[in-house]
Amino acid sequence: HAAYRIAPHVCEVVACDLSGEMLAAVAAEAARRGLTNITVEQAAAEHLPFPDDAFDFVACRLTAHHWGDLDAGLREACRVLRAGGKAVVIDVVAPGLPAADTHLQAIELLRDTRHVRDYRMDEWIGALERAGLHILGVAKHWLPMEFVSWVARMKTPEANVAAIRALQSGATAAVREVLDITDDGSFRIEVAMFELEARRAQA
């Protein structure tokens, strides 16, 4: 999560992540740029260490598929937003075709064992609504994944890389078409950006 709080003359940005390494990179980059209004906080998305109504805006990009509990993470995002506060959540959307969904989850897990799930659009909509985050708009696009760099970023073990390639080689024509799997293993994923507003009931 990243969030900001607006005061008359001050904009404070809080970067929150489970990874200390990621937060150290944020702090170092902020220092390099001379940005003094950025702070970091280490915590899980499901247990944010902030009071209710603390922020005007919350943003989350490509992390929700690692959360242990999607509903809990989204409830926390809504809780720390003031009523009417805005949020943007960006993440992978699993294919509607069950076989393609299963294939994507399998190769994601082989690539990175921290993977939990890429959610389908209906799962996303249901979870956001349950959390009290009203959907103002949705934009989707296809993101190409170049195979060699995709596995290199996670330092995926060679045995797992071979297993991914075996799954791709055995994929049905329908799965290959949905994910646009190429001969070198490259493929595509669909990403959605949800524009949201906090509409949970006030205490």
Side-chain angles (χ1 to χ4, degrees):
H1 286 304
Y4 66 79
R5 181 186 296 112
I6 297 177
H9 304 290
V10 178
C11 180
E12 179 189 355
V13 178
V14 181
C16 185
D17 199 280
L18 191 60
S19 166
E21 183 179 351
M22 182 68 73
L23 293 174
V26 170
E29 182 63 17
R32 187 186 72 81
R33 297 189 185 191
L35 302 175
T36 59
N37 60 343
I38 298 177
T39 59
V40 298
E41 187 80 38
Q42 187 168 11
E46 299 93 333
H47 304 285
L48 296 178
F50 310 114
D52 298 353
D53 309 313
F55 298 103
D56 298 293
F57 180 79
V58 170
C60 176
R61 179 180 180 273
L62 296 175
T63 67
H65 57 272
H66 289 303
W67 299 351
D69 188 332
L70 178 67
D71 283 86
L74 293 176
R75 283 196 304 268
E76 280 289 270
C78 189
R79 178 186 66 78
V80 302
L81 271 173
R82 63 172 175 78
K86 302 300 191 292
V88 170
V89 174
I90 302 171
D91 216 285
V92 180
V93 176
L97 180 71
D101 185 339
T102 300
H103 177 95
L104 180 60
Q105 309 303 336
I107 66 170
E108 287 262 49
L109 185 60
L110 284 166
R111 180 212 181 210
D112 182 359
T113 56
R114 298 169 301 174
H115 176 74
V116 175
R117 174 161 178 76
D118 294 324
Y119 297 93
R120 298 186 313 271
M121 183 58 70
D122 63 302
E123 293 175 310
W124 268 114
I125 291 171
L128 290 165
E129 290 178 346
R130 288 191 298 272
L133 293 166
H134 176 70
I135 300 173
L136 301 175
V138 182
K140 295 193 293 183
H141 69 278
W142 288 102
L143 181 65
M145 309 302 292
E146 194 277 322
F147 186 81
V148 173
S149 59
W150 181 66
V151 293
R153 283 196 299 275
M154 289 295 106
K155 300 179 181 178
T156 305
E158 284 302 319
N160 289 31
V161 173
I164 293 170
R165 295 296 283 127
L167 284 175
Q168 290 179 322
S169 296
T172 65
V175 170
R176 296 185 69 86
E177 180 179 358
V178 169
L179 297 175
D180 194 25
I181 302 171
T182 64
D183 291 342
D184 70 353
S186 298
F187 62 100
R188 67 179 183 177
I189 55 175
E190 190 170 31
V191 175
M193 180 179 74
F194 299 93
E195 297 179 53
L196 309 161
E197 181 178 79
R199 293 192 179 175
R200 45 100 175 97
Q202 290 288 285

